[in-house]
Amino acid sequence: HSSLRDYDLSVPLESRTGLRQGLASYGDDKFSLFLRKAFIKAAGLSDDSLSRPIIGITNTHSGFNPCHANVPQLIEALKRGIHLHGGLAIEFPTVSIHESFSSPTSMYLRNLMAMDTEEMIQAQPMDACILIGGCDKTVPAQLMGSISSNKPIVPIVTGPMMPGSHRGVRLGACTDCRSNWAAYRAGEIDIEDISSLNAELVPTGGTCGVMLRTCFTMACITVALGLMPFNSATAPAVSSARLRVAEETGARAVEVAMSQRRPQTILTRESFLNGITVLQAMGGSTNAVVHLLAIINRHPAVAGSITLDTFDEIGRNTPLLVDLKPSGDNYMTDFHNAGGMRALLEALRPLLYLNAMTISGKTLGEELDAQPFKGFPYSYEIVRPLSDPLHPNSSLVVVRGNLAPQGAVIKASACKERRLLSHSGPAVVFANTADLAERIDDPALQVSKDSVLVLQSIGPIGHPGMPEAGMLPIPQKLSKEGVKDMVRISDGRMSGSAGGTIVLHVSPESAMIDSPLGIVRDGDMIRLDVEKRLLEVALSGEEIQRRIRERETNLDERSRQLGKRVMTKKRGYRGLYESRVNQAELGADFDFLTADGAEVL
Ligand code: FES
């Protein structure tokens, strides 16, 4: 990038890298570049700096996001890696989302972050972009946006927090948050215990410390997709290893910028099948099913070729190998110390597409060969071999039937009472989360341990953003009798750290007027049979249609025009969200952002 040539009006701008990208703003490319250089020099950058490949870094640090507390240190290490390898690092902010501080739900903001990430990568002149994700929705949002923008990208995550300790017992967010709160509700621990536990559940910055949270599931899947180094998912947030991963990521970004390896080229159908295999083998978060479908449906060459049924098919042939909370007993740091993703990929070798490309330019098989894992397994207790799995198959199962014609998901490996995987019982229906909060602990609630708890209106449109309310609490009068698990059904999601016999993501959701879930009433008999992949309500087709017609008479005209959705808001982002979000089996993305989004606008 000779700067003098840039000002010579007779010399064309022959390359479109670095600052020369996207110069149409003023109708005169040379003037636009002249202005751009004038402004960037205000940051103290020399012509020499500006002649290097520009590596953008998404700064997702936020005071409201403790899972990203180490982002400033990571940026320092990323910059070191970039500058040592001849690039120029320029950081910029994007939306940052934390689970606990995002109302109405973090999922509601995922698509906003995906749009922000896509548009800012696209708009600003960079040759590659490093995406700093971590907390649950951030990695999916960044992958969705960057696949659509298709500029070269390199993801990194903030890494897991350390476990805490209370009276000699290890604790980790968020499985232990839920289990201890349930114990407090049941009167098993007192107010002093629950109060002192509170200070130990999240003892350091970083993402949640149980593997099966969405944050870690997505981090591990990103490794399986070939986009991050093997140890990048598991190195703890507060470790020096995490900083070395960042330095390596900075160096990799310069290389990716030079080679212009783009996500739509690196990622193929096989890459995603590998991701799903890893998801099943670790009994990962059910949320990852929704996120992966959203990511896949952004990819023009893969969209539509992988569906919910693909997850189920892979699950039937993939044993559960990883013993971590909540399916198992261990924490993320244990998985890291047992070899982490390198160990798991070694165990899964026969089930993986080893010819899938990775961000390094080598195939997954070549990367595994280049980094022999001599110690497998460091711990059979945490990463099991294919010959001795924790469970022979199907961690995540897809069920269908007249209650979920477009599918629903259950994490069979997290079920606490196996008998419930084949169960019939009368429905106890809650119309929404407010109704649930009001009645669930009412001593007069007509419920028994054989009832099936149904929660409506927590789907993509319903709440909106599919809150993680799918793990309905056991009614207090039953939990005091020692009932630990019941069949629970909703159109919402649940945290990866939650467990129980819980059917999620029922589609169509109850906010769609033709949803069978939306017309279920107290006392309707519901049957779940996981082995047969069945979720049914004992109602005839005529009765279902009659109830749907009855419901339809109350629908306003605008909702009728928008595909018969029960919308609550009409303006702003919320109006956009409720009118354009698609259903869970498509990823709960905006219909106009998917690979075939052009067809709906
Ligand atoms: Fe951020 Fe768990 S709340 S990863």
Side-chain angles (χ1 to χ4, degrees), residues 183-195:
Y184 174 59
R185 276 175 55 84
E188 292 165 13
I189 61 175
D190 63 19
I191 196 163
E192 283 179 12
D193 275 332
I194 198 73
S195 158

Side-chain angles (χ1 to χ4, degrees), residues 65 67 97-100 134-136 161 173-174 206-209 213 215:
N65 194 347
C67 299
I97 306 171
H98 184 274
E99 285 304 290
S100 303
C135 197
D136 289 13
M161 65 181 70
C174 260
T207 50
C208 289
R213 279 285 308 208
C215 51

Side-chain angles (χ1 to χ4, degrees), residues 582-600:
N582 61 25
Q583 291 290 283
E585 78 277 9
L586 298 173
D589 196 1
F590 291 150
D591 56 2
F592 59 88
L593 291 178
T594 61
D596 58 3
E599 289 167 24
V600 298

Side-chain angles (χ1 to χ4, degrees), residues 96-399:
S96 184
I97 306 171
H98 184 274
E99 285 304 290
S100 303
F101 301 102
S102 303
S103 180
T105 65
S106 59
M107 183 68 168
Y108 169 73
L109 297 173
R110 185 202 64 179
N111 296 351
L112 181 68
M113 184 173 181
M115 288 173 84
D116 180 13
T117 303
E118 174 182 347
E119 295 302 329
M120 296 317 286
I121 292 177
Q122 200 57 47
Q124 298 173 131
M126 60 189 89
D127 297 292
C129 187
I130 294 172
L131 308 164
I132 307 180
C135 197
D136 289 13
K137 306 303 175 291
T138 59
V139 172
Q142 291 174 330
L143 292 180
M144 291 160 68
S146 59
I147 287 175
S148 293
S149 90
N150 203 27
K151 271 196 187 176
I153 50 110
V154 186
I156 182 172
V157 294
T158 54
M161 65 181 70
M162 301 303 288
S165 174
H166 181 252
R167 299 196 177 149
V169 177
R170 284 201 302 171
L171 296 173
C174 260
T175 301
D176 296 319
C177 309
R178 290 171 200 282
S179 58
N180 282 291
W181 188 249
Y184 174 59
R185 276 175 55 84
E188 292 165 13
I189 61 175
D190 63 19
I191 196 163
E192 283 179 12
D193 275 332
I194 198 73
S195 158
S196 57
L197 270 162
N198 188 261
E200 275 298 312
L201 284 163
V202 187
T204 72
T207 50
C208 289
V210 289
M211 168 85 173
L212 308 172
R213 279 285 308 208
T214 312
C215 51
F216 247 6
T217 305
M218 289 309 303
C220 293
I221 287 173
T222 307
V223 171
L225 292 177
L227 297 177
M228 293 201 302
F230 295 135
N231 64 342
S232 185
T234 55
V238 294
S239 67
S240 60
R242 174 59 49 195
L243 297 177
R244 288 192 293 275
V245 166
E247 188 178 307
E248 182 186 342
T249 302
R252 173 58 50 79
V254 179
E255 191 214 319
V256 167
M258 305 289 273
S259 60
Q260 285 293 293
R261 276 194 289 277
R262 293 168 189 268
Q264 288 184 19
T265 314
I266 298 168
L267 296 169
T268 59
R269 186 166 189 274
E270 286 69 29
S271 320
F272 290 112
L273 297 180
N274 285 342
I276 297 169
T277 300
V278 163
L279 169 66
Q280 290 283 14
M282 61 192 194
S285 166
T286 45
N287 290 325
V289 177
V290 184
H291 295 319
L292 263 171
L293 286 163
I295 294 164
I296 287 163
N297 286 328
R298 290 292 189 107
H299 193 309
V302 187
S305 72
I306 294 175
T307 66
L308 263 188
D309 293 331
T310 317
F311 286 75
D312 196 71
E313 282 158 26
I314 290 178
R316 286 175 191 265
N317 299 316
T318 308
L320 179 65
L321 298 184
V322 178
D323 186 13
L324 292 180
K325 284 194 170 219
S327 294
D329 287 328
N330 297 296
Y331 292 86
M332 215 44 237
T333 43
D334 301 317
F335 181 57
H336 179 69
N337 294 336
M341 280 302 292
R342 182 64 190 84
L344 180 59
L345 293 172
E346 188 68 27
L348 284 172
R349 242 183 208 258
L351 302 182
L352 295 172
Y353 291 89
L354 297 174
N355 60 348
M357 189 48 65
T358 74
I359 201 161
S360 69
K362 295 183 188 148
T363 65
L364 179 62
E366 287 167 343
E367 280 292 347
L368 290 170
D369 290 342
Q371 301 174 55
F373 189 67
K374 300 200 181 93
F376 182 76
Y378 289 160
S379 166
Y380 267 138
E381 283 173 19
I382 295 168
V383 181
R384 307 284 277 264
L386 281 178
S387 56
D388 182 23
L390 284 165
H391 192 68
N393 51 34
S394 296
S395 297
L396 304 178
V397 173
V398 176
V399 291

